[in-house]
Amino acid sequence: MNILLVHAQPEFTSLTRHLVNIATEVLTAQGHSVVQSDLYGMGWKAVFDGQDFPDRINSERLSFIEESGHAFAHGCQTADVEQEQNKVLAADAVILLFPLWWFGMPAIMKGWIERVWAYGLAYGYQGKGNAHRYGEGSFTGKRAMLAVSIGGPEKDYSPRGINGSLEQLLFPVTHGALFYTGMEVLPTFAVYSSGRLDADAQADVEARWRYRLERLFDEQPVPFRSQNSGDYPDRHVLANHVAPDQTGLVAHIADD
């Protein structure tokens, strides 16, 4: 299998980089092909703007959807974006590794998604607008997982923790950026109090990470509700009989 590791942490001695190194070791030993996108090392352009469209079809007004669709369909994307898209398309699994900064991913990684997830590829699939999303799309059949290093203690990110549930904080990524495109999303691998790990805690993190990697293609994904499963009759709102007592983000995750 082909695995793409996308990571965003400039410090080589960081826990994130350590997880990248372990992933490369474990997955390669299993016979997988591992490719990396080291966003800081690449000097990745994080800002999504008019420079991404060297062959504009409308020089008067910048419509990101229109220009993105045109660039993707006509082979006039920038070389860095096309290269990353090819990595994703070739991958059977994509792992995003990053430190949690201000309750989300680093800006450079958000910019990677914004620029690489082109119209016609990650959304607007087959020119059918919103017909194929949330469980369907051009990335259907691929697996995805987040590996997140978190400075705060686990209890702060518990269901009633002061920072909010980690699952809900990352929902825009797991559900919105990954499942939206058709990927099967595995539960997030999280390391809490990442800057204060003693030797025993470090060994535990490494063992848990190796365990997850070894089961990358066997683990059950998060049971997000698919748009075209019948749970959303109009493709927008849950049917009245589906999770009738739930609202918000949790309503879009089926019971195990």
Side-chain angles (χ1 to χ4, degrees):
M1 297 289 193
N2 298 319
I3 318 296
L4 174 59
L5 306 178
V6 185
H7 51 99
Q9 169 55 275
E11 174 52 51
F12 285 95
T13 66
S14 66
L15 177 62
T16 296
R17 291 295 189 116
H18 189 50
L19 296 179
V20 170
N21 293 337
I22 291 175
T24 301
E25 171 202 328
V26 172
L27 295 170
T28 300
Q30 287 184 298
H32 300 303
S33 175
V34 178
V35 174
Q36 292 189 29
S37 287
D38 174 1
L39 300 184
Y40 279 99
M42 294 159 55
W44 179 258
K45 173 181 171 290
V47 178
F48 187 34
D49 57 20
Q51 296 179 38
D52 286 292
F53 312 116
D55 182 24
R56 292 272 295 272
I57 57 174
N58 185 345
S59 60
E60 300 298 322
R61 182 180 184 278
L62 177 57
S63 167
F64 283 94
I65 292 177
E66 186 178 24
E67 297 294 349
S68 178
H70 171 77
F72 177 73
H74 294 86
C76 52
Q77 299 177 110
T78 58
D80 58 344
V81 167
E82 186 173 357
Q83 182 178 30
E84 294 305 297
Q85 289 173 345
N86 289 337
K87 289 181 186 179
V88 175
L89 289 170
D92 297 293
V94 177
I95 303 177
L96 305 182
L97 305 98
F98 58 92
L100 191 74
W101 287 352
W102 285 108
F103 304 96
M105 58 175 53
I108 197 170
M109 182 169 279
K110 179 63 160 55
W112 182 83
I113 291 174
E114 289 179 353
R115 297 183 63 219
V116 175
W117 266 214
Y119 184 84
L121 176 67
Y123 67 114
Y125 179 58
Q126 294 183 342
K128 296 182 179 179
N130 292 333
H132 297 293
R133 57 176 183 162
Y134 294 115
E136 297 181 11
S138 58
F139 297 158
T140 298
K142 302 180 186 297
R143 306 207 115 193
M145 180 168 61
L146 307 184
V148 186
S149 302
I150 302 164
E154 184 172 3
K155 61 184 177 181
D156 283 357
Y157 296 89
S158 61
R160 289 175 56 82
I162 192 169
N163 286 346
S165 153
L166 183 67
E167 177 184 83
Q168 294 194 24
L169 289 177
L170 295 175
F171 197 85
V173 184
T174 56
H175 184 264
L178 300 175
F179 184 66
Y180 186 104
T181 66
M183 291 184 177
E184 294 182 336
V185 184
L186 302 181
T188 295
F189 179 81
V191 181
Y192 299 95
S193 302
S194 59
R196 298 180 293 278
L197 300 177
D198 59 22
D200 289 340
Q202 179 84 10
D204 178 68
V205 166
E206 293 179 4
R208 290 193 298 111
W209 182 224
R210 290 175 182 274
Y211 181 88
R212 291 292 304 277
L213 292 166
E214 290 167 356
R215 290 156 181 78
L216 183 61
F217 292 99
D218 298 320
E219 188 174 9
Q220 289 297 310
V222 177
F224 291 127
R225 300 184 188 279
S226 176
Q227 173 183 269
N228 294 320
S229 64
D231 287 347
Y232 305 87
D234 65 350
R235 296 198 179 115
H236 298 282
V237 180
L238 281 169
N240 291 336
H241 70 277
V242 177
D245 299 324
Q246 293 181 328
T247 59
L249 306 183
V250 295
H252 303 289
I253 303 176
D255 295 332
D256 291 335

